[in-house]
Amino acid sequence: MVFDDIDKRLLFYLQEDSKQTNKELSNKLNLSVTAVYERIKKLEKSGVIENYVVLVNKEKVEKSFVAFCHIKLIQHSQEFVVKFEKEVTNLNEVLECFHISGDYDYLLKVLVKDMAAFREFMVKKLTTINHIGSTHSMFVINEVKHTTAINI
Amino acid sequence: MVFDDIDKRLLFYLQEDSKQTNKELSNKLNLSVTAVYERIKKLEKSGVIENYVVLVNKEKVEKSFVAFCHIKLIQHSQEFVVKFEKEVTNLNEVLECFHISGDYDYLLKVLVKDMAAFREFMVKKLTTINHIGSTHSMFVINEVKHTTAINI
DNA sequence: ACTGAAATGTCAAGGCC
DNA sequence: GGCCTTGACATTTCAGT
């Protein structure tokens, strides 16, 4: 699918605030409401717009502790990898999991209440997954920037 | 603010799909439309619901390359830190930036088109920021899990 | 928290560059 | 092909209970 400048601006606005009405967007883009509507539908159908979601303030729901965990597997056979990835995906404390280059195999972003909850998570959940060799955790002291908006 | 089970379920649904109508939500929660409406307003006012956004498919907009960059500063005076954090925040390739514990000071999540674009980003943007000591980059081979939904 | 009603928004149809 | 106007229908929002 091909974007023009209007599509890019539209995506910019929607990534900032998806609750704007088509009327508000039509004013910003100097278009009719229907034109905006049709462009959005096209972006949804083509899969560019993947989803509409609410972002929740993690402090307000008592999930203030963010950690990144490096993980190395013992072995890298297809079977082990698939199983590990599936089990990690099922952990709701794990918001993100990436297979990465470098000394470790995976990088996980973990969100829990506090350090005690993190310890609990490591001992009772993460390290009970088989085939994990070593782990190395880094704790977030401060979140400097965090956006879901892609610059298009 | 105190949540009951209904609020938690409501947040679960909204974190999955914020485009559901209050009517659909009222069915799932066995409430009236207005009750749902009022609960959502309360969650917005209290700041639990931070924002409504569109999530864009990064492959579809030619941003398929994700890297994590560790950064160490030369010095850690207030002045240097503030300036570094401000400049990093202004880089649109940087989606996330965390001040972290461990060998490095910061961890950045960078999103660009490809390896060539990443090189460009490092040479022309990131390393032109003053006071950066050393960097260490890790490349994402595969995204195993990525969600914005917090388990409440 | 519910009902009911006004205000507002979404979306389809048809016509015009 | 993309844009506009119109109008029907759905949803949001708010007052009263």
Side-chain angles (χ1 to χ4, degrees):
Chain A
M1 127 144 223
V2 190
F3 314 102
D4 60 13
D5 268 15
I6 298 177
D7 287 320
K8 289 179 186 177
R9 288 173 57 210
L10 179 53
L11 285 170
F12 172 81
Y13 292 131
L14 289 173
Q15 286 187 105
E16 270 200 328
D17 174 14
S18 64
K19 265 232 148 170
Q20 302 173 77
T21 63
N22 291 348
K23 194 172 181 178
E24 290 173 297
L25 291 166
S26 72
N27 285 331
K28 292 181 182 173
L29 298 169
N30 272 92
L31 280 179
S32 73
V33 173
T34 309
V36 170
Y37 171 76
E38 281 165 356
R39 278 173 182 269
I40 292 176
K41 282 298 154 220
K42 203 173 136 194
L43 290 165
E44 289 171 357
K45 295 233 168 77
S46 66
V48 174
I49 292 180
E50 217 161 43
N51 203 3
Y52 292 79
V53 300
V54 146
L55 299 181
V56 167
N57 182 308
K58 58 187 182 327
E59 281 77 23
K60 293 270 164 72
V61 294
E62 301 223 293
K63 302 279 182 182
S64 300
F65 193 85
V66 183
F68 284 91
C69 297
H70 276 292
I71 292 179
K72 209 183 295 198
L73 297 187
I74 290 173
Q75 208 204 303
H76 299 82
S77 67
Q78 171 99 4
E79 191 204 342
F80 280 23
V81 167
V82 169
K83 211 164 160 233
F84 168 79
E85 293 188 357
K86 195 183 160 199
E87 291 191 51
V88 156
T89 300
N90 286 336
L91 298 175
N92 60 46
E93 293 91 346
V94 177
L95 296 190
E96 304 178 27
C97 172
F98 302 94
H99 182 192
I100 55 163
S101 68
D103 295 337
Y104 287 88
D105 296 318
Y106 291 94
L107 180 63
L108 273 57
K109 186 174 173 185
V110 177
L111 182 67
V112 289
K113 184 183 177 193
D114 51 25
M115 183 62 95
F118 181 72
R119 186 179 166 282
E120 191 84 357
F121 167 77
M122 286 300 284
V123 174
K124 297 237 175 100
K125 290 193 168 180
L126 192 62
T127 55
T128 63
I129 298 179
N130 284 329
H131 322 313
I132 289 186
S134 58
T135 69
H136 176 83
S137 300
M138 300 170 292
F139 306 125
V140 170
I141 298 165
N142 183 42
E143 194 172 290
V144 178
K145 180 179 187 178
H146 193 182
T147 180
T148 54
I150 300 174
N151 190 264
I152 302 164
Chain B
M1 127 146 225
V2 190
F3 314 102
D4 60 13
D5 267 13
I6 298 177
D7 287 320
K8 289 180 186 178
R9 287 174 58 210
L10 179 53
L11 285 169
F12 172 80
Y13 291 131
L14 289 173
Q15 286 187 107
E16 272 202 326
D17 174 14
S18 64
K19 267 231 145 170
Q20 300 174 78
T21 63
N22 291 348
K23 194 172 181 180
E24 290 174 296
L25 291 166
S26 72
N27 284 333
K28 292 181 182 174
L29 298 169
N30 272 90
L31 281 178
S32 72
V33 173
T34 308
V36 170
Y37 171 76
E38 281 164 357
R39 277 173 184 269
I40 292 175
K41 284 296 156 222
K42 202 172 137 198
L43 290 166
E44 289 171 358
K45 296 235 166 72
S46 67
V48 174
I49 291 181
E50 218 161 42
N51 202 4
Y52 292 79
V53 300
V54 146
L55 299 181
V56 167
N57 182 308
K58 58 187 181 331
E59 280 77 23
K60 291 272 165 73
V61 294
E62 300 224 293
K63 302 279 182 182
S64 300
F65 194 86
V66 183
F68 283 91
C69 297
H70 277 293
I71 292 180
K72 208 183 296 197
L73 296 187
I74 290 172
Q75 209 204 301
H76 300 81
S77 68
Q78 172 99 4
E79 190 203 342
F80 280 23
V81 167
V82 169
K83 213 166 157 231
F84 167 79
E85 292 189 357
K86 195 182 159 200
E87 291 192 51
V88 156
T89 301
N90 286 336
L91 297 175
N92 61 45
E93 291 91 346
V94 177
L95 296 190
E96 304 179 26
C97 173
F98 302 94
H99 183 193
I100 54 163
S101 67
D103 295 336
Y104 288 87
D105 296 319
Y106 292 94
L107 180 62
L108 273 57
K109 185 174 172 184
V110 178
L111 182 66
V112 289
K113 186 184 175 193
D114 51 25
M115 182 63 93
F118 181 73
R119 187 179 165 281
E120 191 84 357
F121 167 77
M122 287 300 283
V123 174
K124 296 236 175 99
K125 290 193 169 181
L126 191 62
T127 55
T128 62
I129 297 179
N130 284 329
H131 322 314
I132 289 186
S134 58
T135 68
H136 177 84
S137 300
M138 299 170 291
F139 306 124
V140 170
I141 297 166
N142 183 41
E143 195 173 287
V144 177
K145 180 179 186 179
H146 193 183
T147 180
T148 55
I150 300 173
N151 190 265
I152 302 166

